[in-house]
Amino acid sequence: MTYVDQQVPRVQRQETGGATVRDVVAAYVGLTKPRVIELLLLTTVPVMFFAARGVPSLGLVLATVVGGTLSAGSASVFNCVYDRDIDEQMRRTRRRALPRHIVSPRSALVFGTVLGIVSTVVLWAFVNPLSAVLSVTANAFYVFVYTMLLKRRTTQNIVWGGIAGCFPALIGWTAVTDSLAWAPVVLFGVVFFWTPPHTWALALRYREDYANVDVPMLPVVKPARAVARQIVAYSWVMVACSLLLWPVAGTGVFYTACAVVLGAVFLVQAYRLLARARGTEDLSVIRPMHLFHSSNLYLSLLFVAVALDPLISR
C-alpha cells in the first residue's frame, strides 16, 4: 500500500530523428548529469584545501577535477542507460536523452565506458593510484549496488546507495596526501547522513512519479509525517557528525562556528517540514522543496567553511 493517490500517465515515445548536432551534444552532456557533478566537486575541492592546510597545487586540483568529473559523468551515463525505462515515465526525467531517443542505449554505453576509462587514466597518472581506485569503487558502487541492486527493491535504497556520493570527500583528501585519515572519514559521514534528508525531500515532491514506476522510495510507502521524522533524525546525526571534525582534525573557530550555525538552520528547516507534514499529505502544504534547496545550500556552505578554515586559522 502506498500513500500516493495520483498516477502519472505513461509518456509516449518521442521520435527525434530531426535532432541537430547541438541537440545531440547537449544530450550527451545531459547524460552525465552536470548538476550532480557540481555537487560532487563541491565536496572534493574544499577537502583538498583542508588536506593541504592551504592552497593545493593548481595542476593537482585541475587533474582531480577533470578525473572526478569524468568518473561521475560515467556513472551517471550508466545510470541513465539502466533506468531508461522508468525515466521515460517520470515527469522529472522524461526529457533526458534516452527517453527522447536522441542517443541510443548502445552509444550511451560506449560513451560512459570511455568516460570511465579516461577518468581512471587521468587520476592514476596525474593524481595517484589510490585516488583512481577510490573513484572506480565509487563508480561501481553507484552503478551495481545502488542503480541495479537497491533502487527498485528497498526503501533504504538511497541510504546505502548514497555511499557512492560520499567518496569525493575521500578522493579530495587522498589526492593531496596519498593516504586516508579520520578527517575525510568524518566528512564522508556528513555527506552520508545528509543524503537521505536531501533525497527524501525531493522524493516527496515526485512521489507520484516513483509510485508509477514501482520504485519504493520512502515517501512512496510511508506517509509524509513518517518521512519527515526520518529526515529530522538523520539531520541530527548529520549535524553531530559535522561537529566531530573539530576534535578529530583540530579545526579552528571559523569552521566550528559555521558548522553550529548551519546545522541549527538545517534543523529548524527539518522541524518545520515535520510540523507542516502533521495530519496532511498535501504537498502544497508540506512544501518539501524548501528543505531540498536548503540542503544544497547547507552542504555548499559547510564545505566552503572546510576550505577556508585552514586559511583563516593560520
Side-chain angles (χ1 to χ4, degrees):
M1 180 180 180
T2 72
Y3 286 82
V4 180
D5 297 320
Q6 300 177 6
Q7 297 292 308
V8 179
R10 285 182 171 270
V11 179
Q12 298 298 318
R13 290 176 175 265
Q14 300 179 30
E15 297 301 329
T16 54
T20 65
V21 173
R22 181 177 179 179
D23 292 334
V24 174
V25 171
Y28 274 102
V29 172
L31 286 173
T32 66
K33 301 182 183 178
R35 290 185 179 179
V36 174
I37 292 175
E38 289 175 8
L39 191 61
L40 294 177
L41 293 180
L42 185 64
T43 57
T44 304
V45 176
V47 177
M48 296 183 72
F49 279 75
F50 190 68
R53 294 290 171 177
V55 181
S57 162
L58 179 59
L60 181 63
V61 172
L62 181 61
T64 306
V65 166
V66 171
T69 297
L70 295 176
S71 179
S74 171
S76 293
V77 172
F78 290 135
N79 172 266
C80 287
V81 172
Y82 189 83
D83 280 348
R84 64 188 184 278
D85 59 327
I86 62 176
D87 282 351
E88 192 172 51
Q89 301 176 55
M90 296 177 66
R91 287 173 297 170
R92 189 172 64 88
T93 58
R94 64 193 183 194
R95 297 298 297 170
R96 289 176 178 172
L98 290 170
R100 294 172 63 199
H101 308 287
I102 295 178
V103 178
S104 70
R106 181 177 180 179
S107 297
L109 280 174
V110 172
F111 180 54
T113 301
V114 171
L115 291 180
I117 292 172
V118 175
S119 73
T120 304
V121 170
V122 169
L123 290 172
W124 190 287
F126 299 103
V127 182
N128 55 56
L130 178 57
S131 297
V133 170
L134 289 172
S135 178
V136 171
T137 302
N139 193 322
F141 195 95
Y142 183 72
V143 175
F144 295 108
V145 178
Y146 170 66
T147 301
M148 299 178 69
L149 180 63
L150 298 176
K151 183 174 181 179
R152 306 191 193 200
R153 290 179 171 87
T154 173
T155 58
Q156 295 297 298
N157 48 18
I158 198 59
V159 176
W160 301 109
I163 288 175
C166 306
F167 272 81
L170 302 181
I171 294 170
W173 184 275
T174 59
V176 173
T177 67
D178 198 13
S179 64
L180 285 170
W182 283 112
V185 172
V186 169
L187 293 171
F188 180 103
V190 171
V191 181
F192 177 79
F193 292 112
W194 167 88
T195 301
H198 170 77
T199 308
W200 285 335
L202 182 66
L204 262 174
R205 169 65 178 82
Y206 292 101
R207 61 185 178 180
E208 293 89 355
D209 276 1
Y210 286 111
N212 190 44
V213 294
D214 296 321
V215 174
M217 297 295 286
L218 187 65
V220 173
V221 300
K222 294 289 184 180
R225 184 176 181 179
V227 176
R229 285 174 176 167
Q230 289 288 310
I231 286 175
V232 168
Y234 273 92
S235 298
W236 270 107
V237 181
M238 175 195 72
V239 173
C241 192
S242 72
L243 296 175
L244 276 179
L245 198 62
W246 170 57
V248 167
T251 55
V253 174
F254 177 76
Y255 169 81
T256 306
C258 289
V260 169
V261 172
L262 291 171
V265 172
F266 194 98
L267 287 171
V268 168
Q269 292 293 327
Y271 274 104
R272 284 179 176 173
L273 176 69
L274 177 59
R276 294 195 298 268
R278 287 196 174 101
T280 183
E281 296 295 320
D282 187 347
L283 294 180
S284 66
V285 174
I286 299 171
R287 292 173 291 167
M289 294 303 286
H290 282 208
L291 182 69
F292 175 78
H293 294 305
S294 294
S295 68
N296 282 329
L297 185 60
Y298 168 84
L299 198 69
S300 301
L301 294 179
L302 185 74
F303 274 80
V304 167
V306 168
L308 293 179
D309 186 77
L311 302 175
I312 294 174
S313 302
R314 281 180 174 179

